[in-house]
Amino acid sequence: MINYNEEDGLNSSYTYSLRQDASGFLWIGSDNGLFRFDGKEFRQFGSKNGLKNIEVLSSFPLSNGEIFIAPFLNDFAYLKNGKVINPDINNELNKIQFTYNPDYYVDGSYLYSHSTYNPSTIYIYNDGKVSRIPLAVKTKPGDNFYAFGLNMTDHMIYLFNQRDGGNIIAYDVISKKKTLCNIRADKGTVMGRKGNIFVFKNKRSFEVYRLYNKTQFKKIKTYTAQENIDKYIIDNNYQLWLFPEEGGTLYFKESLLEEKEFSRPVKMMENYTISDVLRDKDNNIWFSTRNNGLFFIADRFFKSYIHLPISNNTSHITVIGKNDNGIYLGYNEAKCGVYHNGKVTDLVFEKNIKIEHKAIFAGGNTVIFGLTRRLFQYDIKSKETYSLNNFVLKNIVPYTPGAILLCTSEGLFAYNYRTRKYTDVLSKERIYTALPYARDSLFAGSFKDLYKVSTITRKKKLFLEGYYFTDLKKLGENLYAGATNLNGIILFDKNGIIRKINESTGLPTSQIKKIEVENNNVFWVSTNYGLSRIELRESDIQINNFTQTDGLPSNTVAGCVLSGDTIFVGTSKGLGILSVKSLMEQKKFINKKVIINSVVIGGKEIFDIRQALTGQTPDNDITFNVSFPDFTSQGKISYRYKIEGLSNVWQTSSSQKISFYSLPPGNYTFTIFGIGYNGKRSYAPTKLHFEIRPKFWQTWWFKTMVISLGAAALFMAITLYFQKKRNKKLETLYYEKKIAELELQAIKAQINPHFIYNCLNSIQFLLYKKDYRETENYLEIFAQMIRKTLHYSEKTFMPINEESEYLSLYLDMEKLRLKDLFDYKITISDKVNHNWMVPSLLIQPFVENAIKHGVAGLKDRKGKIEVSFDHDGTSLCVTIEDNGLGIGSGRQKKADSFGVKLSQKRIETFRQLFETHILLEIYDLSEKEQRPGTQIKLYIKPYENQNTSMHH
């Protein structure tokens, strides 16, 4: 069985109901929403997609393509064109309300639902609308009816009084008429219906009835279980599945339509708690479980398991052989099995010895079991077992009547099983396989070469170099087939290689284990990827590959033997017994087509692909979301496709999203095949037409106009190019000149007469007071200030640390002049690199304004000025804040100060010349933060410019 769980995308603990829609998709209700499975990928619909209740107990595919979603109790929804429609989107769904989980009946695009306990209403859902059929089931207060088996074709529902039991009542939902049926049911009975078949369960007893004429029931079979049964399911083939309380499921091979008693059920899945069983359209079996995801069994494998059960057929088979008395199986331990008449009998040579079988020979009444380091001879008549000489065995090959060849790591030996004598054929050689081809000659293969060996002279001659043969068989006169470890099948004669058969010619792998000959032209090969049948034709070969999908217990095949039309296959999971005729009826194509779920074209995802699909340049990309719901391929699905009108070359991809980009205008047809297991493709392609429309500039008349104007445009372009170069040079010179002028104006503004006059007055006052030490200190700061101002006025940019020192010098001088009227603080954030560059002499005018118009006139408090440098992730932020009188008008876009106006001009110049964007913001803090003062913010981006060496 194949298990799908969270690792495959089924992200849920409990899976509930299983449904399949008309397109073949599988829908799984779970405790984590609704899942759709297309054989390769699970798609989840949960709360993010619009489900208000993700505990989805069931879903119901409708004939119009909608999926009705039935959660635990209410909050019903439906899926339409890939979108979940919930009660918030469609208020009609709010009409459906239940106290208990309801029962459902689907008829095309109509869904009928009703309570199973004293129903008063049948709700009808169709195409987004909800209507009602009122019921009058309960006629007196004590009635407690259980309702089941609704069928709107004959508008009947059936009632059973759970309180007292009694006759089943047929109730016409249209006329409201009640009619007693001809059968009774005891209290506690649970009923279910499929078609005209009814199953009544009471404790461990099951009774199956067929309905006639709406009210007449006929019992057709009964069954009494040996254990308590939780629930039951009738599948699409009218076969019954029982779910025991202890886990697992019981399956009845007989159809409920057959009027004969049940045979003994087949028990399976014993270690799992089963929620639901689904038999899909291809007769594959699906199990939903609690905590263990989904399990899948392919149809052919299921039939082999059900119709030919072998109770102890689970061992890992490493070799297989046969004679007229039976089939002999060698396991990966010191025991073997003998299959005869549908039963395997075990032979144990040494208990608990884990040495595997390497080969089996069966001739007449003698069977030789060859293990890695043991050989046993078994007599079929006497049942006696003899231990033979110990070899490190590689293979056993038939030799002459009554004798075999033992291929060992010590050499090649002949053993006569009648006389029990050994003969040395080729000693001190590591031989893996051999084959006699003449009376005194044979082929012998080592792990890398094939030799011709004379049994008379005991000498070898190199025949085929570089091939590790695992098996050799004779097909015809002077025609041999060799199975190799890495090179597939080699066909050769006594002179050399005739042909090679490998992956490139159709085999699933080039690593071959064994060959079984059917006739001169047909042989079978065993691999770790299944079983292959090869038919040699005159000029070609025909290869058919078979896997678990075709009924093999496992794809790891050790070998096979033929008996008439039956092939016995030894695998890692037991013995497979298959009909060759049935295998050869394998269809060449998969009876499915690729489904196009949606198309993304023109930037929109379209789910209804019946409408015209058009895109237009430049939105000329297209993506097809496709599925190929062939579950038997077990996810090994790919796609072969092309765009007719664009290219005739076929492309192959395993992706479910197939995209084409920048398609030129035109009409196209997307053609796609699905490729499933063993390279089989869908029986027919899926085709979809679409169109890419041109923009006006892609039309012929526009191209003609462009060509007409081309020559003139080229001439104008050349002229404009040279003119633009001249203008660019002039513009650069203009901005350089403008910066020089603005910097000169900055110097003038910085060292304005009023400022100097105030400084000289302060010096004169200090001299008058004869405070020579303070005078000397003031003059020193004043001189540094003038010198630095002249120095920085020559530079376009300056580092932040130098800007900070310059502002500190200026504020110290002003603080001395104004007799400690204010305090200041300059901070640089850890986020700021001190070497980052800022436009020179840009910040000082704003600091001057803070002193002159902010704190200079304060009487009731001491002034404070703060300058900070910070980084907000994208820009350098410089903040100048004071606690002065404020500007009285909130955020300002202009300032009255000459220095500020000059700075705004410099800001614009820096933007045009250096692409340095500076944003100026001015706030009145009394309005912004209810405290006095003014705040100025400068956002500088980029804050680090490579042209910092520019001087004017």
Side-chain angles (χ1 to χ4, degrees), residues 885-888 890 923-934:
L885 301 174
I887 55 177
Y923 297 94
D924 189 330
L925 293 176
S926 64
E927 295 184 3
K928 182 182 180 184
E929 299 181 6
Q930 289 76 48
R931 59 187 176 90
T934 303

Side-chain angles (χ1 to χ4, degrees), residues 566-806:
T566 303
I567 184 166
F568 297 85
V569 186
T571 77
S572 62
K573 294 183 179 179
L575 178 66
I577 306 173
L578 305 161
S579 163
V580 175
K581 181 180 178 181
S582 176
L583 285 176
M584 294 309 298
E585 288 175 352
Q586 182 188 73
K587 296 179 181 178
K588 296 181 179 179
F589 300 99
I590 298 173
N591 192 30
K592 292 180 175 62
K593 293 176 67 175
V594 172
I595 297 168
I596 301 177
N597 301 312
S598 67
V599 178
V600 179
I601 187 171
K604 297 180 179 179
E605 185 169 14
I606 299 171
F607 290 90
D608 185 5
I609 58 175
R610 293 172 296 180
Q611 61 181 282
L613 301 175
T614 58
Q616 188 174 41
T617 304
D619 291 330
N620 52 351
D621 300 338
I622 187 167
T623 298
F624 301 92
N625 296 309
V626 299
S627 294
F628 187 47
D630 180 48
F631 300 118
T632 56
S633 294
Q634 299 173 16
K636 297 175 182 178
I637 291 169
S638 58
Y639 302 92
R640 192 164 182 258
Y641 59 90
K642 68 177 180 178
I643 295 285
E644 295 178 10
L646 178 69
S647 172
N648 288 322
V649 177
W650 290 95
Q651 301 180 60
T652 302
S653 172
S654 59
S655 173
Q656 294 184 276
K657 288 189 176 182
I658 299 173
S659 299
F660 298 89
Y661 301 101
S662 302
L663 291 174
N667 287 288
Y668 302 103
T669 300
F670 176 61
T671 304
I672 184 169
F673 286 95
I675 308 295
Y677 85 102
N678 290 342
K680 294 182 181 180
R681 75 177 194 189
S682 52
Y683 74 96
T686 299
K687 296 191 174 187
L688 187 64
H689 177 77
F690 65 96
E691 180 184 4
I692 302 295
R693 294 176 179 173
K695 282 288 189 181
F696 73 93
W697 43 266
Q698 292 178 310
T699 57
W700 66 268
W701 57 267
F702 181 81
K703 293 178 181 178
T704 304
M705 182 180 66
V706 169
I707 294 172
S708 309
L709 298 174
L714 181 62
F715 175 77
M716 291 178 64
I718 294 172
T719 304
L720 289 172
Y721 172 74
F722 288 108
Q723 182 66 39
K724 187 175 181 180
K725 286 189 69 175
R726 287 193 294 271
N727 291 343
K728 184 69 175 178
K729 189 173 182 180
L730 291 172
E731 185 179 1
T732 303
L733 292 172
Y734 167 75
Y735 281 118
E736 288 178 353
K737 180 180 178 183
K738 188 172 181 181
I739 283 182
E741 290 173 352
L742 289 172
E743 288 177 346
L744 183 58
Q745 290 177 22
I747 297 170
K748 292 176 182 179
Q750 192 68 31
I751 315 175
N752 61 70
H754 183 67
F755 168 71
I756 295 174
Y757 176 75
N758 287 340
C759 290
L760 291 175
N761 271 346
S762 298
I763 294 168
Q764 183 181 18
F765 179 73
L766 291 171
L767 288 171
Y768 177 76
K769 288 175 61 180
K770 297 181 180 182
D771 190 348
Y772 300 118
R773 183 183 296 275
E774 190 71 17
T775 301
E776 183 181 354
N777 186 28
Y778 192 89
L779 279 171
E780 184 180 348
I781 295 173
F782 180 67
Q784 289 180 25
M785 180 69 189
I786 295 298
R787 186 164 56 251
K788 283 186 178 290
T789 301
L790 292 173
H791 172 72
Y792 290 133
S793 66
E794 295 180 354
K795 295 184 177 293
T796 307
F797 292 86
M798 60 191 294
I800 288 175
N801 60 340
E802 293 184 15
E803 176 70 46
S804 173
E805 292 173 4
Y806 176 73

Side-chain angles (χ1 to χ4, degrees), residues 798-800 831-838 871 876 943-944:
M798 60 191 294
I800 288 175
K831 301 177 183 177
V832 174
N833 189 329
H834 289 216
N835 292 321
W836 283 348
M837 312 299 285
V838 294
H871 182 238
L876 178 68
Y943 41 79
E944 185 176 9

